């Protein structure tokens, strides 16, 4: 409410006086001015007059009139101060209420948009939205300010910006950011290529988050909605951001032939809600209608299909895929028929560890194969056999070894250039010892050296590696420098971490870390990319505030989790007064009281330097409850009525009638003229139908229903419980009850949990009730994917057990071959026995005999090689002596002294002949002239 002086003149430069005592003449302009108004600086006229030097000279009045003006000025000053404080308080309250209303309006608007988006899906599922939680999370993040962040530029994604969504992780990026990312990725991949390789292969570019690869042709160039139907979707405040509002119609994953029924939405499509009629795995039970996303089911009857052994039937419950191997045991003969053993029915063919030992058709050797079926075959040493160099073929008895042919070996040596110059020999050829002119790997130096030795110089490569920062510095580099092996170490865009990748060109990958932004209580968590936690608003928590009350009440009013101080307590005080009654006023332990006397401002325009209100506890107001007893004397009266006399009390009491409130909480005496139904303003407090909460309506009319004679149960007029179910969930169940607040036990949780199997390769979807109610053995069975364990045993073989927990068994039954020291005999034994050293295979007499013969042959070959080396050295010596004799003859010829001729001796014949000819001609001419 405004002050009286504001209602009269509004303080806009008008000066009005209530009396004539303070009238004066303005020396500045002759205008009449009223009594001095505190706050005249706020008015236009008053402000200018005071500032311009105008002086008011009183014409009439006395000391009493001056005192009256001072009192009126102080009164108006107090009114202005009070009005300003009330206006400031009202502004704060309006601002708080408007912001909360805007939040509530935005939440209600988002809820309507979500309901509209999911309507077509929930119509197919009879209102069941349990499968929409993941999609709902993506849609909520699209609405929430700051929740969607481009991982490339670490900036928020706004409604009016063009975006692109990854089809692998459904992460959203700005269109210019993802285009630049794809361009840079393709450039970095193709930059190390040569001109010949460039353009021959379509290199992909990866998603910045999930590394899902896209082709070069899939680089985004246009802005589409989530479902890809509409280009450049219009901004509609009643649709999900970046959505076209049409039905999604994308194929479900995995494909089932149906299409998504939601409106165009971010994130993955939910499971297919269609109903199909399908039989069980074994086809024994009748087909039943089931949800398409969970259409595969088991009737739990015995399978009954014939097992691969051909003798028994499968006894497992109805299951998908092929039946397991037969688990029964039977007596079976080995392949050669010598031994009988109890073995699994699924493995009818097995070999014993005995060598065949039957005489071969040659009559000289025995079969060395281990437990085989059929004939042993011909002797491996019979027939046509080549010599060691494979140039000649010999027909020899199987008892004789093939001799060498005497020709040159001529096999290509390890260098791949030269051939072996030795005679036909057994065993591998020697290394190439020819000297050749070799060039180092970098091509800067050459050297003559043996062919088999590599040549690497000590020159270090000075080329810059692909990171364009560091030199190669590898000795004798061929020019194809390896990638840089140093760490990048540049600070990422989040400003919190450094790049852990190997040194590279271009911009670093976005920071893969996420940060949790918590509400005040820490129960609601919002995951944001690293670096966005300082600019992201905390999430809105739906949990109740858990702070202890600051007043005398044992518990505070229920309100949501929040930052800052809790709102003022609005519960009834309920303190015991001196008269014995309870204080009915609102809680006043932390009331706001105006602070006065600390600072006197010069005018209403001056802001107070200290808060105008402080929180303090106020005493309870006086009791106003009338007496209900007719026989009390004056001494027996409560404290609140002892001020009345007996006559006054009797007159007051008999003028009241006792009435019960609407909710039957209390009986109060009322004056006769106003006796009637009334509300005591308390909470109803009757137990609602949910049996968990009480009616929070103000005292209201109460209708008695059958079975509610005591009045403790809710009536039809009471409010209906709208709270969610708060009963404790079974241990291990993370889901909330799908029913609203109810009296009985919660129904079993049928939502699907996604868990990893023991081998961490397969995602299993199991009902929550099965997991929470299962013991350790059942949980271990449920967590198995029924596939073979992919782990490797220490021996290198794969584990044969079905997907299991814990370590794999160490008794490997895989068959491995064991040979004797001379490598002639071999047996197949269990891997575990071989690793433990329980079995070994020693050479027999035949092996020893063959070893002795081989040593004799080697000795003979060594002797022949020595003789051959002697002959070769003798031939080389003779050839050297012959060459030496020829060199001596040439040397003697060069030793003869040769006399060098002069130029005249060399060319005198060529000079004298023309001179003599010219002289003869001249002489003949003179003789003819004289004649």
């Amino acid at each position: 409410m405004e002050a009286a002086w504001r209602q009269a003149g509004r303080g806009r430069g008008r000066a009005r006086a209530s009396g004539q005592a303070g009238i004066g003449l303005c020396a500045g302009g002759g205008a009449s001015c009223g009594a001095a108004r505190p706050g005249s600086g706020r008015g236009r006229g008053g402000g200018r007059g005071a500032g311009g030097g105008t002086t008011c000279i009183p014409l009439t009045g006395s000391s009493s009139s001056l005192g009256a003006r001072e009192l009126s000025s102080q009164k108006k000053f107090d009114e202005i101060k009070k009005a300003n404080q009330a206006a400031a308080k009202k502004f704060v309250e309006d601002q708080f209420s408007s912001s909360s209303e805007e939040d509530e309006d935005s939440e209600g608007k988002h809820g309507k948009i979500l309901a509209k988006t999911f309507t077509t899906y929930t119509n197919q599922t009879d209102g069941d939205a349990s499968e929409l939680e993941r999609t709902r999370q993506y849609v909520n993040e699209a609405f929430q300010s700051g929740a969607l962040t481009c991982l490339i530029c670490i900036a928020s994604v706004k409604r009016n910006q063009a975006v692109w969504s990854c089809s692998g992780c459904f992460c959203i990026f700005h269109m210019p950011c993802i285009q630049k990312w794809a361009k840079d990725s393709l450039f970095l991949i193709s930059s190390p290529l040569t001109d010949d390789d460039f353009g021959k292969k379509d290199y992909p570019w990866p998603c910045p988050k999930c590394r899902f690869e896209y082709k070069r042709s899939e680089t985004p160039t246009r802005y589409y909605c989530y479902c890809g139907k509409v280009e450049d979707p219009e901004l509609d405040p009643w649709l999900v951001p970046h959505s076209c509002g049409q039905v999604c119609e994308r194929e479900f994953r995995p494909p089932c032939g149906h299409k998504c029924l939601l409106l165009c939405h971010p994130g993955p499509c939910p499971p297919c809600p269609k109903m199909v009629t399908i039989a069980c795995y074994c086809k024994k039970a009748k087909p039943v209608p089931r949800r398409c996303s969970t259409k595969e089911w088991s009737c739990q009857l015995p399978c009954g299909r014939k097992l691969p052994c051909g003798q028994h039937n499968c006894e497992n419950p109805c299951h998908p895929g092929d039946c397991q191997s037969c688990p029964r045991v039977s007596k079976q003969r080995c392949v050669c028929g010598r031994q009988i053993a109890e073995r699994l029915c699924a493995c009818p063919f097995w070999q014993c560890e005995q060598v065949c030992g039957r005489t071969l058709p040659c009559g000289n050797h025995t079969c060395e194969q281990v437990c085989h079926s059929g004939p042993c075959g011909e002797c491996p040493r019979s027939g046509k056999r080549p010599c060691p160099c494979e140039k000649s073929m010999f027909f020899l008895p199987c008892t004789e070894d093939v001799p060498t042919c005497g020709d040159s070996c001529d096999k290509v040596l390890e260098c791949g250039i030269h051939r072996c110059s030795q005679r036909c020999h057994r065993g591998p050829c020697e290394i190439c010892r020819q000297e050749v002119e070799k060039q180092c790997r970098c091509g800067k130096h050459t050297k003559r050296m043996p062919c088999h030795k590599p040549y690497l110089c000590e020159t270090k490569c000075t080329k810059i590696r692909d990171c364009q920062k560091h030199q190669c510095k590898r000795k004798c580099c061929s020019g194809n420098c390896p990638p840089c092996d140093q760490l990048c170490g540049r600070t990422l865009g989040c400003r919190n971490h450094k790049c852990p990748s190997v040194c590279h060109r271009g911009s670093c990958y976005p920071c893969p870390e996420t940060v949790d932004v918590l509400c005040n209580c820490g129960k609601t968590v919002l995951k944001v990319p690293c670096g966005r936690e300082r600019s992201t608003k905390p999430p809105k928590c739906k949990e109740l505030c858990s702070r202890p009350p600051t007043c005398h009440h044992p518990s505070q009013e229920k309100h949501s989790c929040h930052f800052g101080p809790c709102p003022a307590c609005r519960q009834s005080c309920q303190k015991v007064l001196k008269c014995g009654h309870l204080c009915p006023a609102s809680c006043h332990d932390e009331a706001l009281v105006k602070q006065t006397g600390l600072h006197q401002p010069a005018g209403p325009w001056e802001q107070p330097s200290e808060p105008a209100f402080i929180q303090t506890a106020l005493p309870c107001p006086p009791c106003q409850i009338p007496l209900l007893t007719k026989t009390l004397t004056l001494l027996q009266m409560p404290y609140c009525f002892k001020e009345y006399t007996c006559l006054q009390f009797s007159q007051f009491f008999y003028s009241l009638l006792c009435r019960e409130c609407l909710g039957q909480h209390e009986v109060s005496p009322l004056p006769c003229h106003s006796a009637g139904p009334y509300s005591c303003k308390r909470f109803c407090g009757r137990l609602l139908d949910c049996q968990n909460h009480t009616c929070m309506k103000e005292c209201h009319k109460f209708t008695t229903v059958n079975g509610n004679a005591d009045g403790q149960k809710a009536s039809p007029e009471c409010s209906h419980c709208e709270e969610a179910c708060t009963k404790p969930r079974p241990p291990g169940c993370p889901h909330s009850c799908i029913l609203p607040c109810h009296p009985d036990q919660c129904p079993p949780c049928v939502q699907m949990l996604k868990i990893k199997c023991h081998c961490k390769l397969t995602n299993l979807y199991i009902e929550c009730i099965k997991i929470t109610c299962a013991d350790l053995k059942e949980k271990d069975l449920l967590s198995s994917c029924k596939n073979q364990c992919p782990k490797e045993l220490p021996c290198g073989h794969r584990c044969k057990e079905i997907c299991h927990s814990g370590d794999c068994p160490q008794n490997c039954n895989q068959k491995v071959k064991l040979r004797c020291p001379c490598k002639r005999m071999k047996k197949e034994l269990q891997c575990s026995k071989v690793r433990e050293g329980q079995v070994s295979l020693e050479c027999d007499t035949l092996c020893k005999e063959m070893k002795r013969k081989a040593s004799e042959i080697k000795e003979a070959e060594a002797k022949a090689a020595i003789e051959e080396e002697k002959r070769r050295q003798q031939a080389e010596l003779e050839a050297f002596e012959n060459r030496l004799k020829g060199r001596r003859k040439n040397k003697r010829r060069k030793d003869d002294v040769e006399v060098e001729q002069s130029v005249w001796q060399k060319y005198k014949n060529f000079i004298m002949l023309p001179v003599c000819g010219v002289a003869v001609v001249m002489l003949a001419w003179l003789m003819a002239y004289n004649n």
Side-chain angles (χ1 to χ4, degrees):
M1 182 175 180
E2 293 184 342
W5 68 274
R6 284 187 179 272
Q7 296 175 355
R10 294 290 177 185
R12 305 295 289 179
R14 300 183 182 126
R16 294 184 181 182
S18 58
Q20 300 295 328
I23 297 176
L25 185 63
C26 289
S32 62
C33 57
R37 288 185 293 116
S40 60
R42 296 178 63 89
R44 294 176 183 171
R48 288 179 183 140
T54 304
T55 306
C56 293
I57 303 173
L59 299 178
T60 60
S62 61
S63 60
S64 61
S65 63
L66 291 175
R69 283 201 303 271
E70 291 179 358
L71 291 175
S72 63
S73 298
Q74 183 66 29
K75 183 177 180 181
K76 289 180 180 179
F77 179 83
D78 293 339
E79 290 179 354
I80 295 171
K81 183 178 178 182
K82 185 176 181 181
N84 288 341
Q85 292 174 351
K89 184 177 180 181
K90 184 178 180 181
F91 174 76
V92 173
E93 292 178 352
D94 293 344
Q95 186 71 16
F96 177 76
S97 62
S98 63
S99 61
S100 60
E101 288 174 0
E102 288 177 0
D103 293 341
E104 292 176 358
D105 293 343
S106 62
E107 290 181 358
K109 180 180 177 181
H110 295 168
K112 292 180 181 179
I113 297 175
L114 285 177
K116 181 180 177 182
T117 305
F118 299 150
T119 298
T120 53
Y121 187 91
T122 53
N123 290 341
Q124 295 284 338
T125 60
D126 296 334
D128 184 13
S130 58
E131 300 289 347
L132 295 173
E133 291 302 326
R134 189 180 178 193
T135 307
R136 190 189 300 273
Q137 180 182 358
Y138 279 92
V139 178
N140 286 332
E141 289 180 355
F143 278 123
Q144 190 171 0
S145 174
L148 285 182
T149 304
C150 178
L151 295 181
I152 300 176
C153 63
I154 316 297
S156 298
V157 178
K158 299 181 180 179
R159 287 172 170 262
N160 56 353
Q161 293 177 333
V163 297
W164 176 83
S165 177
C166 175
S167 59
C169 61
F170 305 100
C171 189
I172 295 177
F173 306 91
H174 292 125
M175 182 64 71
C177 295
I178 196 64
Q179 289 175 343
K180 185 177 183 300
W181 176 271
K183 182 179 178 181
D184 294 345
S185 300
L186 292 174
F187 174 75
L188 292 176
I189 293 175
S190 59
S191 57
L193 302 178
T194 61
D195 295 338
D196 298 335
D197 296 334
F198 188 80
K200 292 184 178 180
K201 186 176 180 181
D202 187 9
Y203 288 94
W205 57 273
C207 169
K209 182 179 181 182
C210 65
R211 304 297 189 268
F212 183 80
E213 293 185 347
Y214 293 89
K215 297 180 180 178
R216 183 190 297 267
S217 59
E218 295 176 345
T219 303
T221 57
R222 299 179 183 273
Y223 168 41
Y224 287 95
C225 62
Y226 296 113
C227 64
K229 294 180 181 178
V230 179
E231 182 180 352
D232 295 330
E234 297 181 358
L235 179 61
D236 191 342
W238 288 99
L239 290 177
V240 179
H242 316 292
S243 170
C244 64
Q246 302 180 21
V247 180
C248 177
E249 292 186 349
R250 285 184 289 183
E251 294 288 341
F252 285 113
R253 296 183 184 178
C256 62
H258 303 120
K259 296 182 178 180
C260 181
L261 303 176
L262 299 181
L263 299 184
C264 183
H265 62 90
C269 297
C272 181
K274 295 284 186 180
M275 299 297 292
V276 295
T277 303
I278 189 169
C280 63
Y281 296 117
C282 65
K283 311 297 182 184
K284 291 183 178 180
K286 294 182 179 180
V288 295
R290 291 179 62 87
R291 193 72 57 81
C292 182
S293 58
T294 58
K295 59 185 176 181
E296 296 183 354
W297 64 286
S298 172
C299 63
Q300 300 300 322
L301 296 176
C303 176
R305 285 183 284 186
K306 187 70 72 176
L307 294 176
C309 66
Q311 300 178 5
H312 308 102
N313 296 331
C314 179
E315 298 178 355
N316 294 331
C318 177
H319 60 85
D322 297 333
C323 298
Q324 299 179 359
S325 302
C326 183
R328 299 192 179 184
V329 178
S330 59
K331 291 185 177 181
Q332 302 173 7
R333 286 186 177 274
C334 64
V335 175
C336 64
R338 295 181 181 179
Q339 295 184 6
I340 299 176
E342 289 187 354
R343 294 179 56 82
L344 291 174
C345 188
C347 303
F349 300 100
W350 65 285
Q351 291 178 315
C352 62
E353 299 177 1
Q354 296 183 7
V355 179
C356 178
R358 287 182 286 186
T359 304
L360 296 177
C362 65
N364 299 319
H365 303 96
T366 57
C367 179
E368 299 177 359
Q369 300 182 34
V370 177
C371 186
H372 65 89
S373 59
C376 298
E378 297 293 333
C379 180
R381 294 171 60 87
S382 62
K384 195 175 182 180
R385 289 183 286 169
C387 65
C389 68
E390 299 181 354
K391 290 184 178 180
S392 303
M393 303 296 291
F394 296 90
F395 286 95
L396 297 173
C398 62
T399 57
E400 296 182 10
D401 294 331
V402 178
T404 56
C405 63
D407 197 357
S408 61
C409 178
D410 207 28
K411 291 182 181 179
V412 179
L413 299 176
E414 292 181 357
C415 65
I417 302 174
H418 306 102
R419 294 179 177 273
C420 180
S421 60
Q422 296 182 3
R423 293 184 181 278
C424 178
H425 61 87
R426 293 182 175 86
C429 299
E430 294 183 352
I431 57 177
C432 184
R433 301 182 183 276
Q434 295 193 28
E435 288 192 356
V436 294
E437 193 78 19
K438 277 202 168 187
Q439 191 176 28
C440 66
R441 187 167 56 185
C442 63
K444 296 182 179 179
H445 304 278
T446 57
K447 185 178 180 181
R448 191 168 184 83
M449 58 189 306
C451 182
H452 70 277
K453 292 184 178 180
Y455 177 39
L456 299 177
C457 66
E458 297 295 325
T459 305
K460 291 186 178 180
C461 180
T462 59
K463 290 184 178 180
I464 302 297
R465 296 191 178 184
D466 57 354
C467 65
Q468 299 298 321
K469 293 180 181 180
H470 306 103
Q471 288 185 344
C472 177
K473 293 185 178 180
R474 189 173 64 156
K475 290 184 179 180
C476 195
C477 181
S478 62
N480 187 15
C481 302
C484 186
D485 55 356
Q486 300 186 28
L487 290 179
C488 177
R490 288 184 288 181
T491 303
L492 299 177
C494 65
R495 305 296 178 187
N496 297 326
H497 304 94
K498 292 187 177 181
C499 180
S501 304
V502 178
C503 188
H504 58 86
R505 284 191 292 176
S507 57
C508 300
Y509 278 100
C511 182
E513 301 293 333
T514 57
V515 181
D516 293 342
V517 179
L518 306 177
C519 66
N520 187 39
C521 65
K523 295 182 179 179
T524 304
V525 182
L526 176 64
K527 289 186 178 293
V528 297
C530 182
R532 292 285 299 173
E533 65 273 10
R534 290 181 290 272
S535 59
T536 303
K537 294 174 63 176
K540 293 182 179 179
C541 181
K542 296 183 180 180
E543 299 290 335
L544 296 178
C545 180
S546 59
R547 295 181 183 177
T550 55
C551 59
H552 67 279
H553 290 103
S555 62
Q556 59 180 349
E557 291 180 306
K558 293 182 179 180
H559 59 278
S560 300
C561 172
H562 61 90
F563 288 93
C566 293
C569 179
R570 294 180 292 180
Q571 302 181 65
S572 178
C573 178
Q574 296 296 312
K575 287 184 179 179
V576 180
L577 303 176
K578 295 181 180 180
C579 61
H581 297 112
L582 300 178
C583 178
S586 298
C587 182
H588 44 78
D589 285 354
E590 295 179 347
L592 289 176
V593 179
K594 182 173 67 174
Q595 204 174 17
T596 58
L598 295 180
H599 176 69
Q600 186 69 23
W605 58 85
E606 183 179 351
Q607 296 292 334
S609 59
E610 296 182 6
F613 295 89
I614 59 172
Q615 285 187 347
T616 184
L618 296 179
C620 295
C623 180
Q624 298 179 0
I625 301 175
L627 289 173
L628 302 179
T629 307
K630 297 181 181 180
T631 58
L632 291 178
T633 63
L634 186 61
L635 297 177
Q636 295 173 336
M637 292 181 187
Y639 179 82
C640 54
F641 280 98
K642 286 186 178 180
E643 57 184 351
Y644 292 99
T645 62
C646 293
L647 178 60
Q648 291 174 339
F649 176 74
S650 61
Q651 291 176 355
F652 173 77
F653 181 80
Y654 285 107
S655 64
L656 301 176
L657 294 176
C658 294
R659 295 294 182 186
E660 193 175 29
C661 67
L662 294 174
Q664 299 180 1
H665 300 110
E666 66 179 15
V667 177
S668 298
L670 299 174
C672 184
H673 66 276
S674 61
Y678 73 98
S679 173
C680 64
K681 304 300 181 181
R682 300 180 184 174
F683 292 120
C684 176
R686 290 181 174 83
L687 191 63
L688 298 179
D689 295 334
C690 66
Q691 304 296 322
N692 299 320
H693 302 92
T694 56
C695 178
M696 300 302 292
K697 274 187 176 181
E698 193 175 298
C699 178
H700 58 83
K701 185 178 179 181
F702 175 73
T703 303
T704 304
V705 187
N706 295 335
N708 191 17
D710 54 352
Q712 296 299 322
K713 293 184 179 179
S715 65
E717 292 82 2
C718 293
S719 60
H720 296 281
C721 182
E722 297 179 357
E723 300 287 336
C725 178
T726 58
K727 293 185 177 181
R729 304 296 296 162
C733 178
H735 309 105
S736 58
C737 182
I738 60 175
L739 298 179
C741 188
H742 56 90
D744 300 324
Q745 295 293 330
C746 297
C749 182
V750 295
Q751 298 193 40
M752 303 300 288
L753 282 178
K754 179 182 177 181
I755 62 174
K756 286 280 188 181
C757 65
H758 297 301
C759 54
K760 307 299 182 184
L761 296 178
T762 307
N763 291 330
L764 304 177
Y765 293 89
I766 305 174
E767 289 185 1
C768 181
I769 186 65
K770 293 183 179 180
I771 290 292
T772 55
C773 296
D775 54 11
L776 294 178
K777 185 176 181 181
E778 293 177 352
K779 285 183 179 179
D780 187 69
L781 184 62
L782 290 173
S783 301
S784 174
C785 62
K786 311 302 181 184
N787 297 325
Q788 184 180 354
C789 178
K791 299 176 184 176
E792 285 188 0
L793 297 177
C795 60
H797 299 120
R798 185 178 175 182
C799 178
K800 298 293 185 180
E801 299 293 331
I802 303 300
C803 177
H804 59 86
S805 60
D807 298 333
C808 298
Q810 301 299 323
N811 52 345
C812 179
N813 296 325
Q814 186 77 16
K815 294 292 185 178
V816 295
K817 292 181 178 180
L818 182 64
R819 291 180 177 271
C820 64
C822 68
K823 308 299 182 182
R824 186 187 69 83
M825 299 173 57
K826 62 179 179 180
K827 289 185 179 181
E828 288 191 356
L829 303 171
Q830 286 187 1
C831 179
S832 58
K833 294 182 178 180
V834 174
R835 283 179 59 84
E836 294 173 359
Q838 297 180 2
V839 292
S840 61
L841 186 60
E842 301 295 337
C843 293
D844 56 358
T845 56
L846 182 59
C847 293
K848 295 178 180 179
E849 182 66 23
M850 292 179 65
K851 190 174 181 180
R852 184 183 61 77
K853 290 182 179 180
S855 61
E856 292 176 355
I857 293 172
K858 286 183 180 180
E859 291 177 358
E861 290 179 354
K863 291 180 180 179
I866 293 171
E867 294 177 356
E868 181 66 23
E869 182 67 20
K870 289 180 178 180
R871 287 195 298 270
R872 186 180 63 79
Q873 291 178 357
Q874 183 66 27
E876 289 181 355
L877 182 61
E878 293 175 357
F880 178 75
E881 291 176 352
N882 294 334
R883 287 197 300 270
L884 190 60
K885 291 177 181 180
R887 288 179 182 176
R888 289 175 180 175
K889 292 179 180 180
N890 294 334
K891 189 174 182 181
R892 290 174 185 174
R893 292 174 184 174
K894 291 180 181 179
D895 291 341
D896 295 337
V897 179
E898 293 180 0
V899 179
E900 186 177 0
Q901 296 178 355
S902 64
V903 177
W904 170 250
Q905 291 175 348
K906 290 181 180 180
Y907 304 105
K908 63 182 180 178
N909 295 332
F910 300 98
I911 297 173
M912 292 302 295
L913 284 176
V915 171
C916 292
V918 171
V920 172
V921 172
M922 291 295 293
L923 183 61
W925 181 77
L926 287 175
M927 290 176 66
Y929 182 77
N930 292 328
N931 292 333

